[in-house]
Amino acid sequence: MTGLEAAAKAEAPATSATPALALVDLNKAYGALKVTDHVSLAFDVGELHAIIGPNGAGKTTLIHQISGLAQADAGHILLDGQAITGLPMAARVRKGLARSFQITSIIPGFSGLENVALAVQARLGSSFRLFGAVAREERLNAPARAILETVGLLGRADLPAGLLSHGEKRQLELAIAMATEPRVLLLDEPLAGTGPEESAAVIALLRKLKGRYTIVLIEHDMDAVFALADRVSVLVYGRIIASGTPDAVRHDPAVREAYLGEEGL
Amino acid sequence: MKPLPEPSATAAPPLPASRPGFVRREWLPIILFVLLALLPFAAMLGPEKYTLSLVTRVMIFALAAISLDLILGYGALVSFGHAAFLGIGGYAVGILAAHGFQDAALQVPVALLASGLFALLTGAISLRTKGVYFIMITLAFGQMAFFFAISLSAYGGDDGLTLASRSKLFGLSWLENDRFFYGLVLALLIGCYALTRAIVASRFGRVIRGAKENPVRMEAVGFSPFRYQLAAYVISGMICGLAGVLLANQAEFVAPAYMAWQRSGELIVMVILGGLASLHGAIIGAAAFLLLEEILSGYTEHWKLIFGPFLVLVVLFARGGLLGILARVRGKSGGGR
Amino acid sequence: MTLSLFLVQTLNGLQFGILLFFIAAGLTLVFGVMDFINLAHGVQYMIGAYLAAMFTALTGNFFFGLMLALPSALLFGLLLEFLIFRHLYARDHLDQVLATFGIIIFLNQAVKVVWGAAPLSVPVPEILSGTVVLMDGLLYPAYRLALIGSGLAIALILYILVSYTRIGMLVRAGATNAPMVSALGVDISRLFMVVFGFGAMLAGFAGAMVAPILSVEPGMGDNLLILTFVVIVIGGIGSIRGAFIAALLVGLVDTLGRIFGPFLLRLIMDPSAASQTGRALAPMLIYILMAAVLFFRPAGLFPVRK
Ligand SMILES: Nc1ncnc2c1ncn2[C@@H]1O[C@H](COP(=O)(O)OP(=O)(O)OP(=O)(O)O)[C@@H](O)[C@H]1O
Ligand SMILES: [Mg+2]
């Protein structure tokens, strides 16, 4: 794997440390449609790296490939320099790579607390334990409550998750992802469908999380992106057309061209 | 092209009571078990042998239905071949007895082992498929077991195998006593109920329940549901195998018909009829099914003309099965789940 | 001798496969388009057989009987759809299993009440009662040949219907993505009714056609239903082409396996053991086939819905 690691280093910018996550020449096609077209990116430890792009650009599909929900046709994915390409999603999570979903994916019949405690349980292992009421296990509930407190959902912890408001569900998604104790967090439009107040809450939360994890953020809300991101990459028709600091990307002519008329930057 | 590959769990309605009363004390099962325990005394006033034999049979099928509810109700794994385990348990008794091994101390472990192995093997293959395909592949395995039993010409083939007597218990013939046998079956029913109750409330059970509602979410927090589902399938198969041991003893007879697909269908019907994912719903469903059959057939030979439409009406008008009705009567929403 | 035996058995297998196809065609569409598990599809086959027996006895002519049985089977199917099935489309599979299981129990008993518990037999129509010499020393009943022929014809008609007509296009689209079809403004409940009625009629037709060669009795659809499920699962749910190929495959494997299995086994074990093992294995063959297919292709040979 040394060749790969070298390749990953080469993709990374000036920093000498191994990137937290690196994509090396990733490709994927659905029939004739190239949804991921020679994508190479490196994400530094602790940075918040936003990926933006118009609808259908292939952002979600990219997250699917990184998380293992979909497999890339070609290319490599390195987590802390280690190849995770081809591993199933669950194995990647156990290696410290968590994700949230653009379309809320929670367990509606479980309470918010159980949703998060489930993720804690996955991390702690010994899920073949057939006895002992899991609902009363403080070893699972205490960390879950702490995380719910961080995302501001503690007051609603005992409600079935299916009954939470949309914004609360988005927060719960984040809490579940955090509970797996990831090093890298892939967030697919955490603000999708949230109202102004809810989205302000989520943005505040993201600001809190920034620096704690390496975050790959996909988002259409440009104010949020430019307020939060350390770096921004622009994905159009499956290709990365620009990557850099928010300011550099904002003034990049290729980006302006791709975006003008579609969305105001 | 389907532009919506993303998983979502929006389909499942939010059910507040999907945590089946871990905290709240459930009175219904306790009442049920107390009634079952008192029944032999009441039976002495009437046709004792008939009553005991009927209710013993009910409890045995309740045990089988509980085993199915564990994977069907809590794991959404619709096994359409579960009767195979009844047959495996039954044939373990029959075949061993035919070779002179009449003691339950040997028969039960063999039956459990055989059911467990069959479950492990068929489960490992079946669980690769999803949804309807899972239903159908478990059906296929059930049919294989059925035809295999028919081919056992040394053990009666099509006609089955009559036991010379009930199993011995460490050399003693206690099972021949109907009251003792009733008590034993009841004890096993309560034991397995408590066991499955504990399982669904455990860490393991939480994984099974989560995988039922949203498998993608389970993987996204780091679980591979397959191993857990397979383990649940094996546990379920073994409990059902135990029910088969009891059924063979109750009827003093085993036959391929134990494994017919209609039998598997009946087990599913019992579970849904009582109310899914509550365990005691399975007991109520088995009782309702068998008692209704018994009562109706006492009135008319064409009792199926009533029983069939009854099932249809339950589906159309009584969501959540009999427990669902009970919950609505008590004015509590979802109390049966 | 063995060659002609082989040919006869192959024809028998084909004929069985075609019978399975009639039933499977409707079931796979109902399943594929409506996502509806209809256990009662087998009793519709039984009803077809009983109707044919009744009308043949009434008119004294099998073809008149057939002509009357078909629309009656269709009407019966539509009646069931109207009374019960349409209330189940939106339910989950378990509710569908429970309700249609209830229908099986009811109808199996109802035919006993109406037509008696004893099996009915229907004479083979006069003009098809002879045998046909297919080649030297190979005789085959004309009626069974007619059955195969009509089966192939119907398969062809079905293929054309599904491939080239508007309703066929809707059916195909429905099998791939039903919500989309209904979002496009197609009256999905009408489509469902048509598909359902058509499936019921095909099953009824199958029942009517076999009435002269099998005994017409209560429960005759039960085991066939399971075989039909095997067929549509092997073929891929919702795929007519898959159902056709899988039906022939199952028909041939089942028929030939029963006859030639013991022969083949004799090569590797002594005769009595071979015939015993052969008899044991033969009925399991198709289930083994199905498990194997699903092992390698979890959505059948011709998956429709991706
Ligand atoms: N399973 C699939 N099969 C075929 N095409 C697909 C599949 N999944 C996605 N696509 C197509 O790939 C393209 C990229 O989709 P993707 O969901 O990744 O876009 P996106 O950038 O996340 O868009 P949005 O901003 O709307 O979320 C789209 O054209 C979509 O239709
Ligand atoms: Mg997206």
Side-chain angles (χ1 to χ4, degrees), chain A residues 54-61 63-64 102 188-189 218 220, chain B residues 6:
Chain A
N55 288 105
K59 305 179 296 293
T60 296
T61 315
I63 294 287
H64 283 346
Q102 179 172 355
D188 195 356
E189 301 199 26
I218 289 181
H220 279 297
Chain B
E6 200 146 348

Side-chain angles (χ1 to χ4, degrees), chain C residues 73-94:
Chain C
L74 174 68
L75 275 181
F76 185 76
L78 291 178
L79 187 71
L80 277 183
E81 202 271 350
F82 179 76
L83 284 180
I84 301 170
F85 293 146
R86 66 173 49 179
H87 309 291
L88 297 171
Y89 294 147
R91 301 294 196 82
D92 63 23
H93 286 150
L94 282 177

